[in-house]
Amino acid sequence: MKVLILTEKPFATKAIDSIKQIISNASMEAVILEKYTDKYQVLNAVEDVDAIIIRSDLMTNEILDAAKKLKIVVRAGSGVDNVDLVAASVRNIVVMNTPGQNANAVAELAIGMMIYASRNFYDGSNGTELKGKKLGIHAYGNVGRNVAKIAKGFEMDIYAYDSFCPAEIIEKDGIKAFTSVEELYRTCQYISLHIPCTPETEYSINHNFFTKMLPRAILINTARKEVINEEDLINWMENSPEVRYITDIMPNNDKKLREKFSKRYFSTPKKMGAQTTEANNNAGIAAANQIINFLLNGNTQFQVN
Ligand code: 3PG
């Protein structure tokens, strides 16, 4: 059987070696398509494969349709908003993710972004410290939990809200839980976003949230660009001269934001939350093992469709 590693943004070499080893130990063949530039390369590569490992790579209806032998797609990471789950289900293709495997990498970046913003983008001027500041974690999943764990070391005053995670669970970790998301935005100077992109969350961070935020609020987005209503974001930054937006997912309005708010806005050029050797290794190895376990033993743990 053939397993395709399909990553426009390549895994670290160490991770690729480990993935290939796992696949060949199971007497399967590993093939790789990295840094591709158009969908025809992808359509061609998926034609005869049984399994695919992806990152943020798109698995559209067209691509799934071209993959006539495909049985399983594993997203080496957590968000599956890049996969057409309905189209996969219609074709009996199992889709899995590897939850938690890159959570520490993303959490470390989120904290790094908080420091970067607090120290005025390292421009040499007087900044502020994280110690004692109120941090609001929006969604207390794998990444949110890791952010909380690291922020404790910085002695931040930590709050969280998660519509799916009961307050008692959050409080067990010594984190204050809010039962309304508005309260989180109203209370905390630092807001770190960790919500997935779903039809419910798309563009959900909008005027309603921005107008509740503190005058010196810092919004950190290591989740997805699609959860932000960019028009409302721009209005908020125009009307609140001290707020900041730092993101790991370049907004559609990046150019405009850079021109208007060069001292208060920053985006990484390419999503890099999970761009560490450790995260690539963890997620890549998990993805390869999940594929083998499914193809050889029918194990469907981590199936999302
Ligand atoms: C995820 O959903 O796991 C992260 O956003 C990482 O995405 P990436 O593998 O494309 O960097």
Side-chain angles (χ1 to χ4, degrees), residues 15-267:
I16 291 281
D17 292 344
S18 306
I19 296 168
K20 278 177 159 172
Q21 193 61 57
I22 292 166
I23 295 169
S24 85
N25 286 350
S27 304
M28 295 183 195
E29 184 191 353
V31 285
I32 304 185
L33 176 63
E34 290 176 336
K35 295 183 182 171
Y36 54 86
T37 47
D38 68 60
K39 76 170 176 186
Y40 297 102
Q41 290 170 275
V42 177
L43 289 171
N44 200 33
V46 300
E47 239 174 23
D48 62 343
V49 300
D50 299 277
I52 305 179
I53 297 174
I54 53 167
R55 295 185 62 179
S56 292
D57 308 82
L58 291 181
M59 277 288 112
T60 59
N61 183 40
E62 187 184 10
I63 292 168
L64 292 166
D65 193 53
K68 297 295 182 213
K69 289 177 67 187
L70 187 62
K71 296 156 191 72
I72 176 167
V73 175
V74 180
R75 198 278 192 239
S78 62
V80 288
D81 46 302
N82 48 329
V83 182
D84 187 333
L85 296 177
V86 174
S89 300
V90 165
R91 292 172 176 80
N92 280 324
I93 297 167
V94 167
V95 181
M96 294 183 186
N97 63 353
T98 63
Q101 299 293 347
N102 55 26
N104 184 63
V106 180
E108 285 189 11
L109 184 75
I111 297 283
M113 287 179 147
M114 289 177 210
I115 297 173
Y116 188 53
S118 309
R119 295 301 183 98
N120 302 330
F121 302 172
Y122 303 150
D123 70 355
S125 65
N126 242 14
T128 54
E129 297 176 22
L130 298 187
K131 187 173 176 174
K133 305 296 185 304
K134 287 185 166 57
L135 165 64
I137 299 173
H138 188 173
Y140 199 65
N142 289 309
V143 182
R145 272 164 227 256
N146 274 285
V147 168
K149 223 194 286 174
I150 302 169
K152 272 186 193 171
F154 282 87
E155 297 182 42
M156 294 187 86
D157 185 14
I158 313 165
Y159 300 76
Y161 170 82
D162 191 310
S163 53
F164 297 101
C165 181
E168 308 86 74
I169 305 276
I170 297 174
E171 278 166 358
K172 268 196 186 142
D173 291 345
I175 309 299
K176 288 161 235 156
F178 281 129
T179 47
S180 103
V181 65
E182 284 80 11
E183 234 178 315
L184 190 83
Y185 281 74
R186 212 178 276 129
T187 308
C188 299
Q189 184 190 359
Y190 292 78
I191 298 285
S192 195
L193 278 176
H194 302 292
I195 50 177
C197 178
T198 66
E200 292 73 40
T201 63
E202 215 171 11
Y203 313 121
S204 66
I205 307 302
N206 59 18
H207 177 77
N208 288 333
F209 290 84
F210 294 131
T211 49
K212 294 186 175 62
M213 291 177 81
L214 295 169
R216 289 178 54 79
I218 296 174
L219 179 61
I220 308 288
N221 184 4
T222 52
R224 290 290 182 271
K225 73 171 174 187
E226 293 84 357
V227 301
I228 301 281
N229 179 319
E230 290 188 17
E231 205 183 308
D232 291 359
L233 169 77
I234 291 168
N235 283 336
W236 172 60
M237 293 188 79
E238 259 164 2
N239 296 324
S240 319
E242 294 191 84
V243 300
R244 295 171 184 211
Y245 180 57
I246 318 295
T247 180
D248 184 34
I249 318 92
M250 190 179 276
N252 298 335
N253 288 287
D254 170 66
K255 192 167 177 280
K256 191 169 180 180
L257 283 155
R258 265 190 289 127
E259 281 165 8
K260 276 177 165 294
F261 315 112
S262 63
K263 298 226 176 300
R264 299 191 282 131
Y265 160 76
F266 172 80
S267 170

Side-chain angles (χ1 to χ4, degrees), residues 22 284-294:
I22 292 166
I285 289 173
N289 281 326
Q290 285 171 218
I291 285 176
I292 306 298
N293 241 328
F294 171 73

